[in-house]
Structures are given as C-alpha cells and as structure tokens.
C-alpha cells in the first residue's frame, strides 16, 4: 500500500508573519481531522523554513524545501546545502521543479546531482517531471518524461530510488488553472510506474509514490486521487489558502 502524500509548494510567496499563521492553522485543522493515513508536507521559501519548522514540530506535518544545491559547502554564493536543510529540520526537498528547469535553466544533469546529494544526505526528494504544452501537442509527453526520469535517476540504485517521490507536473497545467484531466494524469502516471518497473523491478515500482501537480484545487482533488496510480498531490497556489489546502487533504483522504 502506498501512503497518500500531499505536499504544499509555497514557491516565492508569503512573509514572516503569514507563513507562521498559515502553518499554525493548518496544523490545528489537521489535528482535528486526524488525517494520519496521509503524509503531509509544507515547502516554504528557505528564509521561512525555521519558523514553519517550529510550527509543525509537534505535529505530523513534515517540513520540505523547494530546492537544494549538491555541494556540501564552500564558495557557492546564494546556495543552500543538503546538510543545512537537514540541520533546520527538513525531511523532504523538491528537486527539478519545472520553474527551476524552465525559468532558472536547470538541466537533467544538474537535477541528477541534486537528487544524488539529497538521498546521500538522508533527505527525501520530490522529483518533478513534466512536459511543455508544445511537447504534449507534438505527442512527445512520454518521450520527454522518460528522458527526464532516466537522466534524473542516472547512477542511482534501487535502494536510493526508494527514497524518492516522483511528481508528474505537466508544465501547461502549472499555475494556469488548466488541470490535466484525471485520465490524462493516470495515463502518464501508469507510464512512469511501468518505466520504474523496467528500470528497477516491479516491487519498487509498486511502492514508489507518484504525485500529480498542476492547478490542483479542492474541486478536482478527489477525482485525481481516485485514479489508481495517483498517490498524492503537489499543490502550489491552493496550498497558500488554508481552507483550500485542508479541503484538498480531506478530499484525498476520502478518495483512497
Ligand atoms: P499550482 O502549482 O498548483 O499553482 O499549479 C503546482 C506546482 O508547481 O507544484
């Protein structure tokens, strides 16, 4: 059984005060809901990790970062290491988000280094993959996602890959209000699980969690989560609104 996993990716949003207020209210509501059957994580900007970490410390909400650098330490101005994330209490780290791939210019090779370093340091990566609109229209979705997965996981053995959650996020659905249909999501999720089976065997493929991300809302969460191979959600915009994030968690919990 794969435990459903809902993560909130705040991206470059929130401030000192609102990040504490939002986290505290999420923690409070989840306690009442008693949603232990789900894993939940919040991924705030680096500068708010400390206070969000404090607010989740006595709860079952985990702390995640939105990115990491692969070097241990040294002259890398502006970067944050895996050890620093561990030190501040992170369990998860998002790696290869489409905004990092397409806005900042991260390559599959860099993402592979980040995944390798994160696992080596005991962080659990949320490894994002997904196609651009023109790639989908050219029927290249499977080829693009396959390349991202093969290059991203290069050199990682079965044991290491078992630490990873894959997040399928079609780029055309992120922040656009255009969610993939549950059938479109399931189609790619099934393909990813098949690919992992080919690369690492059936057992790992059956255990690895695959999240969907891209305009997830309270109104589409249960339909997406009802799909067999959708094991969780990576939520951007809606994770900034307490009621929406809680509703998504609740809907996911009921759907599984
Ligand atoms: P969105 O973002 O829910 O705002 O579309 C999802 C993501 O980028 O992780």
């Amino acid at each position: 059984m794969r435990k459903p996993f809902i993560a909130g990716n705040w991206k470059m949003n929130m401030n000192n005060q609102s990040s504490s207020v939002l986290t505290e209210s999420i923690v409070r509501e989840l306690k009442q809901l008693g949603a232990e059957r789900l894993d939940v994580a919040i991924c705030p900007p680096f500068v708010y990790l400390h206070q969000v970490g404090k607010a989740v410390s006595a709860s079952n909400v985990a702390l995640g970062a939105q990115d990491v650098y692969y070097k241990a330490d040294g002259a890398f101005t502006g970067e944050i290491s895996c050890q620093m994330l561990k030190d501040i209490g992170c369990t998860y780290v998002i790696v290869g988000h489409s905004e990092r791939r397409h806005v900042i210019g991260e390559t599959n090779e860099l993402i592979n280094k980040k995944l390798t370093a994160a696992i080596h340091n005991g962080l659990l990566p949320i490894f994002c993959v997904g196609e651009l609109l023109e790639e989908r229209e050219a029927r290249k979705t499977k080829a693009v996602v396959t390349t991202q997965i093969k290059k991203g996981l290069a050199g990682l053995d079965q044991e290491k890959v078992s630490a990873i959650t894959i997040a399928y996020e079609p780029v055309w659905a992120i922040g656009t209000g255009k969610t993939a249909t549950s059938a479109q999501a399931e189609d790619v999720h099934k393909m990813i699980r098949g690919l992992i089976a080919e690369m690492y065997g059936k057992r790992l493929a059956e255990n690895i969690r695959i999240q969907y991300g891209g305009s997830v809302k309270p109104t589409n969460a249960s339909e997406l989560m009802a799909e067999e191979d959708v094991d969780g959600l990576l939520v951007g915009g809606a994770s900034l609104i307490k009621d929406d994030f809680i509703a998504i968690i609740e809907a996911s919990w009921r759907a599984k």
Side-chain angles (χ1 to χ4, degrees):
M1 262 307 276
R2 300 182 293 270
K3 193 174 183 190
F5 176 24
I6 313 299
N9 171 14
W10 288 3
K11 309 192 180 183
M12 200 173 74
N13 292 296
M14 309 301 277
N15 63 32
N16 204 12
Q17 202 204 357
S18 62
S19 55
S20 295
V21 171
L22 177 62
T23 309
E24 280 158 17
S25 57
I26 288 170
V27 165
R28 212 175 309 121
E29 294 238 359
L30 283 183
K31 242 181 218 149
Q32 280 176 4
L33 208 66
E36 285 86 14
R37 284 204 298 123
L38 290 168
D39 284 336
V40 176
I42 295 176
C43 306
F46 287 134
V47 288
Y48 305 130
L49 280 170
H50 179 68
Q51 66 211 57
V52 171
K54 256 170 72 185
V56 299
S57 64
S59 76
N60 51 11
V61 177
L63 185 66
Q66 297 176 16
D67 185 33
V68 69
Y69 197 55
Y70 67 92
K71 293 280 190 181
D73 50 40
F76 304 102
T77 302
E79 295 295 336
I80 302 283
S81 73
C82 297
Q83 269 313 318
M84 290 171 183
L85 295 184
K86 288 290 286 181
D87 198 26
I88 202 122
C90 286
T91 303
Y92 296 99
V93 60
I94 298 171
V95 176
H97 189 277
S98 77
E99 284 141 22
R100 300 223 49 97
R101 289 178 188 267
H102 300 295
V103 182
I104 314 288
E106 290 195 6
T107 61
N108 286 317
E109 291 67 30
L110 177 60
I111 290 162
N112 173 250
K113 287 182 180 153
K114 292 184 175 194
L115 285 172
T116 306
I119 297 165
H120 181 77
N121 283 282
L123 289 162
L124 303 177
I126 299 172
F127 168 35
C128 301
V129 296
E131 81 287 1
L132 298 164
L133 180 60
E134 55 266 36
E135 292 166 337
R136 173 160 284 263
E137 286 172 348
R139 299 181 181 278
K140 286 186 182 153
T141 298
K142 290 183 183 176
V144 168
V145 171
T146 298
T147 302
Q148 288 172 335
I149 290 183
K150 286 196 168 160
K151 291 196 169 174
L153 299 183
L156 293 172
D157 63 18
Q158 205 173 43
E159 194 201 325
K160 296 219 163 62
V161 173
S162 67
I164 293 179
T165 296
I166 295 174
Y168 169 58
E169 299 204 304
V171 181
W172 48 272
I174 297 177
T176 58
K178 268 193 238 156
T179 322
T181 64
S182 53
Q184 282 174 322
E186 174 63 14
D187 186 40
V188 181
H189 281 227
K190 206 177 248 346
M191 184 280 289
I192 292 173
R193 204 175 301 287
L195 177 62
I196 297 295
E198 262 172 46
M199 293 168 72
Y200 296 100
K202 239 186 152 148
R203 181 130 167 225
L204 177 55
E206 263 154 29
N207 288 326
I208 199 161
R209 295 191 290 194
I210 308 174
Q211 293 177 320
Y212 168 80
S215 298
V216 173
K217 302 180 219 56
T219 46
N220 58 28
S222 55
E223 200 186 326
L224 287 159
M225 285 298 286
E227 294 292 344
E228 189 186 332
D229 291 290
V230 177
D231 309 312
L233 302 167
L234 183 53
V235 187
S239 73
L240 300 170
I241 303 158
K242 190 250 310 171
D243 289 346
D244 284 4
F245 194 52
I246 296 291
I248 287 167
I249 291 169
E250 213 174 337
S252 306
W253 176 37
R254 292 189 202 290
K256 288 290 174 193

